[in-house]
Amino acid sequence: MKVGFIGLGQMGSAMATNLVKAGHEVMVWNRSPDKAAALVAAGAQLAETPAAAAQGDVVMTMLADDTALDAVVYGDDGILTAPALHVSHSTIGVALADRLARDADRYISAPVFGRPPAAEAGTLFIVAAGADDLIDRCEPLFEAIGQRVFRVGTTPSAANLVKLSGNFMIMAAVEAMAEAMTLSEKGGVDRATLLEVLTGTLFSAPVYKTYGDMLVADAFKPAGFAAPLGLKDMNLVDAAAGRSRTPMPLLGIVRDHLRTAIALEGEDVDWAGAGLAVRRAAGLE
C-alpha cells in the first residue's frame, strides 16, 4: 500500500520502519527532517509537507499531543483535505478525536499499547474504532506494526477513551507498586523480593513485571515514555472525566506524583519515575 507516516519519535520511527520492512511504499514527514534519515536510508521517501505525505492510500499519524496533531491536520499544508484515509495512532483527547471524525472525509482512531521495544518488534496492541470498512482496509498495515487489533466501535473517539483509560490504569499500577514496595522496604523486605513474590503469584501481568522491574532498579532514564507525556495523558483523562462527570480520586494522586517526578528529575524522566515521589515522601532515597 502507499502509506504516509507523520511523526518520527521513538514510537513512530519504529512503526514506520516495520511498514517499510513489510514492503509498503512509505512516505514520511517529521517536523525535524533529520529524524527521517534512517528511514530514507531503509527505503522510505521524505515528504516536504504533511499534505505531501497524505497523497496515497493511508496516512498514519503518531504525534506527541493534541497541539501537534491539530497543526498537522488543520495547519498550513495540513492533511485535512488530502485524499488519504487518516489513521491517528496518537494518544489524544476525546474532544479532538470527535472533531477529526466530524471534519475529515475518512478517519479512524487507532492508538496503541506498548513501549518502544514493542514498537520495534512489531508487537504493539492496536485499539481501533471507526467504520468497519475503513478498519478492514488498514489490516495489512496493522499486521506490520502490531500483534493484535481490538475493535471497540464505530465512533472513533471510543478508541481514544480506551487508550486513556488504559494509561490511567498503568499509572495506578505504578502508584500501587511504589506504595507497596516502600512499605515493604521500610519493614525490612527488599523491593526485588516483594516483586518476585507478587509477580509469581497474584500479579503476573506484563505491566507489573515491566514497571515493577523499573521501580526496583530505579531505572527511569533514559525515558521510554517521558513523564511530561504521561502527565499530558492524565490531564486528558481528567478532561474526559469532567465531560462525563466521573469521579476519579486516584487520578489526582498520580498526577501530583508525576509533577513531583518532573520537578525532582527533569523532563527526561520516565513516567514510572512517579514512584520516586512515594519513596521520598517516606524518607527513602
Side-chain angles (χ1 to χ4, degrees):
M1 295 177 70
K2 291 184 178 181
V3 55
F5 203 101
I6 296 174
L8 302 177
Q10 289 188 79
M11 295 290 289
S13 292
M15 294 162 70
T17 297
N18 283 327
L19 292 170
V20 172
K21 289 179 178 178
H24 297 287
E25 186 177 330
V26 181
M27 180 168 282
V28 297
W29 184 87
N30 194 71
R31 186 174 58 183
S32 302
D34 57 295
K35 290 189 175 182
L39 274 157
V40 171
Q45 297 179 37
L46 181 62
E48 293 186 359
T49 65
Q55 298 302 309
D57 302 307
V58 173
V59 59
M60 305 167 95
T61 53
M62 186 60 167
L63 296 158
D65 53 31
D66 288 42
T67 300
L69 183 57
D70 186 282
V72 161
V73 175
Y74 296 100
D76 294 340
D77 295 315
I79 66 174
L80 183 63
T81 60
L85 161 64
H86 180 195
V87 180
S88 172
H89 294 295
S90 308
T91 302
I92 59 171
V94 171
L96 177 56
D98 285 337
R99 180 186 175 198
L100 290 170
R102 287 194 304 268
D103 292 348
D105 289 336
R106 293 175 299 164
Y107 170 79
I108 63 174
S109 285
V112 299
F113 285 115
R115 289 171 66 89
E120 292 172 6
T123 56
L124 296 169
F125 292 100
I126 301 158
V127 182
D132 285 332
D133 63 316
L134 298 182
I135 297 176
D136 289 342
R137 288 185 58 193
C138 295
E139 284 288 351
L141 304 176
F142 293 161
E143 288 175 4
I145 64 173
Q147 60 177 298
R148 183 175 176 184
V149 178
F150 294 87
R151 299 193 184 205
V152 297
T154 57
T155 301
S157 62
N160 302 100
L161 190 58
V162 170
K163 170 63 174 175
L164 292 172
S165 297
N167 279 11
F168 166 70
M169 291 183 69
I170 291 172
M171 282 310 305
V174 168
E175 177 69 23
M177 285 189 288
E179 292 186 20
M181 287 179 181
T182 301
L183 174 64
S184 172
E185 187 170 346
K186 294 200 77 172
V189 179
D190 65 67
R191 289 177 278 174
T193 298
L194 178 70
L195 182 65
E196 180 184 7
V197 172
L198 294 182
T199 57
T201 54
L202 302 175
F203 300 97
S204 60
V207 67
Y208 290 103
K209 294 180 178 180
T210 298
Y211 288 98
D213 286 341
M214 294 174 68
L215 290 166
V216 165
D218 290 329
F220 307 127
K221 293 184 179 182
F225 187 71
L229 293 176
L231 180 57
K232 176 268 296 184
D233 289 353
M234 295 307 101
N235 287 335
L236 293 177
V237 173
D238 186 57
R243 290 180 80 186
S244 62
R245 297 194 175 100
T246 301
M248 299 184 73
L250 182 55
L251 175 60
I253 295 172
V254 299
R255 281 204 297 177
D256 283 348
H257 286 171
L258 281 165
R259 293 187 183 113
T260 300
I262 296 167
L264 292 171
E265 299 293 331
E267 296 201 352
D268 59 341
V269 66
D270 196 275
W271 68 336
L276 293 170
V278 178
R279 290 179 57 75
R280 295 191 181 184
L284 298 176
E285 291 294 334

